[in-house]
Amino acid sequence: MADEQTIRQLSSRVVYENRWMTVREDEVERLDGSRGIYGIVDKADFALVIPAEGDGFHLVEEYRYPIGRRMWNFPQGSYPDRKVADDPEELARHELAEETGLRAASLTRLGYLHGSHGTSNQGFHVFLATGLTQGEPDRELEEQDMRQRFVTREEFKRLVRDGLITDDSTVAAYALLLLHEES
């Protein structure tokens, strides 16, 4: 069954752009003929990696300027300059090595999700990384304050419950991991 298009774009204009995103405002028409505007953030998809080892995971922590806090999450990211990842697995390997220094012998694709589909077209590919070996991270300038540590599964769940992991993509990726482990 094809998706029925219930909102039709009449016009579109870019209101802001930088090397990571474009923000546009679309004039739209709804099924009943009424018109309105829709603000959309266009961003390239990213890759999120769950680096699993033994009974836990490697996490990264950095200061997140929009919320004014340091937060823990799974390694994740996209290419600069809105470059689309032709090979999501290659992007996942790149992000894992860049942020943690870890290299994975095996990457298993767990799925694809949208984090904020009401305001952005950006989605993310989720991978499970196993067979890890340590190397040196090669972080971007924006990641210079990044920290890394290993947490057990129990500690991971406690961090989520205590509000120290609030990243929706990290929590959603963990749910995909649980579904993967059930099958």
Side-chain angles (χ1 to χ4, degrees):
M1 178 176 115
D3 288 343
E4 180 183 351
Q5 185 174 346
T6 61
I7 300 175
R8 186 171 62 98
Q9 180 189 71
L10 301 174
S11 66
S12 183
R13 70 182 183 95
V14 172
V15 294
Y16 173 79
E17 66 183 317
N18 64 28
R19 70 186 289 217
W20 298 103
M21 72 178 81
T22 299
V23 179
R24 70 176 208 264
E25 184 177 271
D26 291 357
E27 181 184 4
V28 298
E29 183 179 71
R30 298 175 195 90
L31 277 178
D32 67 0
S34 64
R35 292 186 175 194
I37 60 168
Y38 213 102
I40 299 170
V41 178
D42 286 319
K43 291 187 81 170
D45 287 349
F46 65 95
L48 180 146
V49 184
I50 302 173
E53 197 166 44
D55 73 335
F57 313 109
H58 294 269
L59 299 177
V60 293
E61 180 206 47
E62 64 186 307
Y63 182 79
R64 295 298 189 171
Y65 178 77
I67 62 171
R69 295 178 57 189
R70 295 190 68 79
M71 298 302 293
W72 290 100
N73 54 261
F74 288 129
Q76 58 192 275
S78 60
Y79 292 124
D81 301 317
R82 296 181 299 223
K83 180 183 176 218
V84 174
D86 295 326
D87 181 355
E89 183 176 322
E90 180 181 305
L91 175 59
R93 288 186 184 281
H94 169 82
E95 286 299 321
L96 178 64
E98 177 184 271
E99 293 187 2
T100 67
L102 295 168
R103 285 14 179 221
S106 176
L107 276 186
T108 303
R109 186 178 187 283
L110 299 181
Y112 178 86
L113 299 167
H114 286 101
S116 186
H117 64 281
T119 57
S120 179
N121 62 353
Q122 184 181 49
F124 60 102
H125 303 271
V126 180
F127 292 91
L128 172 64
T130 55
L132 303 174
T133 56
Q134 187 64 57
E136 286 298 314
D138 185 21
R139 297 181 177 132
E140 297 175 353
L141 182 60
E142 294 85 2
E143 299 167 336
Q144 62 185 301
D145 70 326
M146 188 174 276
R147 298 176 189 149
Q148 171 188 347
R149 77 175 171 133
F150 179 84
V151 299
T152 65
R153 280 185 183 239
E154 285 307 310
E155 186 176 4
F156 177 86
K157 291 187 276 188
R158 184 182 53 74
L159 290 169
V160 172
R161 281 192 293 269
D162 292 349
L164 297 173
I165 294 177
T166 62
D167 175 53
D168 59 352
S169 51
T170 292
V171 176
Y174 182 68
L176 283 179
L177 175 64
L178 295 177
L179 292 171
H180 170 76
E181 291 173 343
E182 285 180 1
S183 56

